[in-house]
Amino acid sequence: MQNQPKPRTALLLFNYSEKQKASLKKIAPRINEQSLKSLIGRLNKRAKKITSQADLPFFQLNANSKQNFGEQLYQAYEDLFLLGYDQVIGISNDCPELNANDLRLAEEGLTENDFVFGPAKDGGLYLLGLKKEKVSKKQFVGLQSLGVAYV
């Protein structure tokens, strides 16, 4: 039996800084804009470090708050599939416990499953791994209606 080639996997950091800023303002209402930007920058830097340790190609989506986030995220996955990746693992930058081993486990999980989820305590997701062509745009954007919140 011949060895199957390993699927090409990409990592996608989905950054929704406007939503993060609003959430952080609720937690720390006196924090100024510069401190918010600095904190989000540090979160992004940490996420990039983790992805480099996982040794997978890395891409970043900076979501636009004027467009539907689910549609933007779907399009980012589709764009990576069009670049030739077989599976994409999307992460958010606000999960301090996430590490490179978690990303490798997610990649392994996609070898046997069409989807891999990393559920967050707030009801959202910190990780969403998908195989190419397994989810339609309608289903993907509809995740929000199933109670899955985008983080």
Side-chain angles (χ1 to χ4, degrees), residues 74-90:
Y74 171 82
Q75 192 58 55
Y77 277 78
E78 278 296 307
D79 291 346
L80 291 173
F81 293 143
L82 288 172
L83 286 175
Y85 293 98
D86 300 313
Q87 46 200 39
V88 176
I89 300 168

Side-chain angles (χ1 to χ4, degrees), residues 115-134:
F115 312 98
V116 177
F117 296 102
K121 292 177 183 174
D122 67 359
L125 298 173
Y126 65 84
L127 183 145
L128 175 60
L130 302 172
K131 282 187 177 175
K132 185 177 182 177
E133 300 175 3
K134 292 298 179 179

Side-chain angles (χ1 to χ4, degrees), residues 35 37-47 93:
S35 295
K37 285 182 182 178
S38 175
L39 177 57
I40 291 170
R42 287 194 309 265
L43 290 169
N44 285 340
K45 185 176 180 179
R46 183 186 176 285
N93 66 0

Side-chain angles (χ1 to χ4, degrees), residues 12-37:
L12 172 65
L13 171 63
F14 45 96
N15 180 13
Y16 200 10
S17 61
E18 293 305 314
K19 184 175 179 184
Q20 279 186 316
K21 284 180 189 177
S23 295
L24 290 169
K25 276 286 198 187
K26 288 179 186 176
I27 296 168
R30 294 188 179 130
I31 194 168
N32 64 40
E33 188 69 20
Q34 186 58 37
S35 295
L36 281 173
K37 285 182 182 178

Side-chain angles (χ1 to χ4, degrees), residues 11 15-16 33 35 37 45 51-53 56-58 60 64-66 68 86-87 92 101 111 129 133:
L11 287 172
N15 180 13
Y16 200 10
E33 188 69 20
S35 295
K37 285 182 182 178
K45 185 176 180 179
T51 60
S52 70
Q53 292 169 344
L56 293 168
F58 169 78
Q60 184 168 342
N64 176 342
S65 62
K66 294 181 175 105
N68 178 287
D86 300 313
Q87 46 200 39
S92 66
N101 190 51
T111 61
E133 300 175 3

Side-chain angles (χ1 to χ4, degrees), residues 89-102:
I89 300 168
I91 61 169
S92 66
N93 66 0
D94 59 355
C95 183
E97 290 120 14
L98 185 68
N99 60 52
N101 190 51
D102 295 328

